[in-house]
Amino acid sequence: MEQWKQSVLIGVILAILAGMFAAIRKEISIWIVLIIILAVIDIVFGLYRKKKEGK
């Protein structure tokens, strides 16, 4: 699997898991927010790599 696809996939999975964990606990802690931020950063870098490879 290409590196950018892995990065985007991992970011999406992290965001989904963090959202599910927050829904189960019915609260959002600083750790869940940090995981979501890291997931978004991972997705952004994955899309950036895709764009960079396309050139």
Side-chain angles (χ1 to χ4, degrees):
M1 184 180 286
E2 294 176 48
Q3 185 68 30
W4 70 268
K5 285 182 184 176
Q6 278 183 327
S7 184
V8 171
L9 184 63
I10 290 171
V12 169
I13 290 171
L14 278 175
I16 290 170
L17 288 176
M20 287 174 42
F21 189 70
I24 290 171
R25 293 189 61 194
K26 293 185 175 49
E27 66 176 303
I28 295 182
S29 69
I30 187 68
W31 298 111
I32 293 172
V33 172
L34 288 174
I35 291 171
I36 292 172
I37 290 170
L38 288 174
V40 170
I41 290 171
D42 201 21
I43 292 169
V44 168
F45 278 129
L47 294 175
Y48 176 74
R49 283 187 193 141
K50 177 184 176 188
K51 182 180 174 186
K52 192 174 180 182
E53 286 179 9
K55 289 185 177 180

